[in-house]
């Protein structure tokens, strides 16, 4: 397959590129980059300056879009929330229109588990409507931006990704030092769900989504066994061999993280319905397994 990837230099893009290159199935990979191209497989683009020339996608079998600034990159304010949105919606719209014009048969686009918002103990799957909070509305706009590709007849897959646990994970880089200093504890009540998936399972599931013609629409990129924040706290403590006795009040988290605290104070019990229906075999079925892998234990 000839595959064009946007966002290939990110935390998810790099291992996905490596996995596709290592399959030995003749994948021809092209990277859309926003810096001066340094390699033969790189093509310069700037989605904020206008449409992508459809000729760039001539003969392409699939387009993968992983663009978007990190939701937890800094404290949220109006300007950063706007940046979070534009960095996702605009590149998606530009690529979807180019996919439609070039008649590319497959588009695999990033999305987020934030689609579901706070659902307490209610299990949700890919058929559940978007939440009405910021992340839910953002995810709806993000996924809706793929419409031109879908309307042209392309098979569109939208990857609703939870917290990805792997080496150099931003979430773990922030938490592990506190746990190692015996400061680990649950956030708020600890009953809120924290959608997770190991990095290697995210990559494996993404490759499956690219190659399996029967997969389309939203795909929940989460592990098979949902975990609460309390369970995450204990599992991370076990992984780093530390007790986790503390309770960190929700108000304290909000003081430090602001509105971005919703990422760890609210969550949903998400079922990976599509992956399970297609028989995806997880390498890390439990949160503890994912953490051991992420921490090289």
């Amino acid at each position: 397959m000839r595959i064009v990837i946007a966002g290939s230099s990110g935390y998810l893009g790099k291992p996905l590129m490596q996995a596709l290159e290592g399959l030995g199935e003749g994948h021809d990979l092209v990277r859309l980059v926003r810096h001066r191209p340094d390699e033969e497989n790189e093509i310069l683009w700037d989605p904020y300056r206008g449409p992508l020339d459809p000729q760039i996608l001539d003969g392409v079998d699939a387009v993968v879009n992983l663009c978007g600034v990190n939701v937890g990159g800094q404290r949220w304010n109006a300007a950063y929330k706007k940046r979070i949105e534009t960095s996702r919606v605009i590149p998606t719209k530009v690529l979807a229109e180019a996919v439609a014009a070039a008649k590319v048969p497959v588009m695999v686009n990033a999305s987020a588990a934030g689609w579901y918002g706070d659902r307490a103990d209610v299990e949700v799957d890919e058929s559940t409507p978007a939440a009405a909070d910021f992340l839910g509305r953002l995810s709806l706009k993000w996924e809706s931006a793929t419409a031109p590709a879908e309307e042209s007849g392309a098979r569109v897959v939208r990857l609703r990704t939870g917290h990805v646990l792997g080496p150099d994970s931003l979430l773990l880089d922030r938490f592990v030092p506190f746990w190692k200093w015996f400061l680990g504890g649950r956030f708020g009540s600890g009953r809120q769900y924290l959608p997770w998936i190991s990095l290697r399972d995210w990559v494996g599931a993404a490759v499956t989504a690219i190659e399996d013609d029967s997969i389309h629409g939203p795909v929940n990129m989460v592990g098979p066994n949902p975990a609460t924040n309390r369970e995450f706290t204990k599992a991370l403590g076990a992984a780093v061999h530390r007790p986790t006795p503390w309770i960190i009040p929700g108000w304290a988290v909000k003081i430090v993280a602001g509105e971005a605290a919703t990422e760890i104070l609210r969550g949903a019990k998400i079922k990976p319905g599509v992956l399970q229906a297609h028989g995806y075999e997880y390498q890390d079925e439990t949160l503890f397994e994912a953490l051991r892998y992420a921490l090289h234990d």
Side-chain angles (χ1 to χ4, degrees):
M1 295 177 69
R2 183 171 176 80
I3 303 172
V4 170
I5 303 180
S8 61
S9 62
Y11 184 67
L12 300 178
K14 288 180 181 178
L16 178 60
M17 287 276 295
Q18 293 170 355
L20 290 169
E21 289 171 344
L23 288 176
E25 297 177 1
H27 289 316
D28 179 16
L29 305 182
V30 178
R31 302 175 62 210
L32 294 181
V33 299
R34 296 187 61 196
H35 58 75
R36 183 176 61 83
D38 297 320
E39 301 181 15
E40 290 184 2
N41 70 334
E42 295 182 344
I43 296 176
L44 180 67
W45 82 312
D46 187 343
Y48 305 102
R49 289 185 175 271
L52 180 70
D53 184 352
Q55 291 186 359
I56 291 174
L57 302 184
D58 281 351
V60 168
D61 299 296
V63 169
V64 179
N65 175 31
L66 302 175
C67 291
V69 300
N70 195 303
V71 170
Q74 67 177 61
R75 189 183 179 91
W76 290 0
N77 55 29
Y80 195 67
K81 286 169 72 175
K82 185 64 177 177
R83 187 182 172 198
I84 290 171
E85 178 179 320
T86 56
S87 69
R88 287 159 171 75
V89 176
I90 291 178
T92 297
K93 184 174 183 292
V94 169
L95 283 172
E97 290 173 345
V99 164
K103 301 298 181 184
V104 177
V106 180
M107 180 176 185
V108 176
N109 204 80
S111 184
W115 169 279
Y116 300 103
D118 185 15
R119 306 280 176 160
D121 294 328
V122 177
E123 186 176 74
V124 299
D125 62 17
E126 285 86 354
S127 66
T128 303
D133 61 8
F134 170 69
L135 291 178
R137 296 193 305 271
L138 167 65
S139 297
L140 179 59
K141 291 179 182 178
W142 195 1
E143 294 193 8
S144 297
T146 64
E150 199 160 35
E151 291 165 0
S152 74
R155 177 175 68 87
V156 175
V157 183
R158 297 180 285 274
L159 307 178
R160 293 179 182 166
T161 299
H163 294 282
V164 181
L165 305 177
D168 302 317
S169 157
L170 178 61
L171 181 73
L172 295 181
D173 283 350
R174 289 179 174 177
F175 284 176
V176 167
F178 290 98
W179 264 245
K180 287 187 174 181
W181 282 98
F182 298 90
L183 296 175
R186 72 175 191 264
F187 293 91
S189 70
R191 294 193 298 269
Q192 68 274 25
Y193 279 86
L194 189 145
W196 65 273
I197 187 170
S198 73
L199 178 60
R200 58 186 174 186
D201 274 321
W202 186 93
V203 170
V207 170
T208 299
I210 293 169
E211 297 183 338
D212 189 336
D213 289 339
S214 66
I215 296 178
H216 61 89
V219 177
N220 289 336
M221 302 287 277
V222 295
N225 293 293
T228 63
N229 178 265
R230 183 194 297 267
E231 291 165 339
F232 170 81
T233 295
K234 290 183 177 180
L236 183 54
V240 299
H241 312 293
R242 295 291 191 275
T244 55
W246 307 108
I247 300 174
I248 303 170
W251 59 265
V253 179
K254 290 177 181 177
I255 287 175
V256 174
E259 190 179 350
T262 57
E263 279 286 278
I264 51 179
L265 291 175
R266 302 170 61 190
K269 185 179 182 181
I270 303 172
K271 176 183 178 181
V274 172
L275 292 179
Q276 290 178 330
H278 285 81
Y280 178 76
E281 295 185 5
Y282 285 87
Q283 296 185 67
D284 301 295
E285 294 192 349
T286 69
L287 177 59
F288 184 66
E289 289 173 344
L291 289 170
R292 281 197 308 179
Y293 151 71
L295 299 172
H296 308 284
D297 190 6

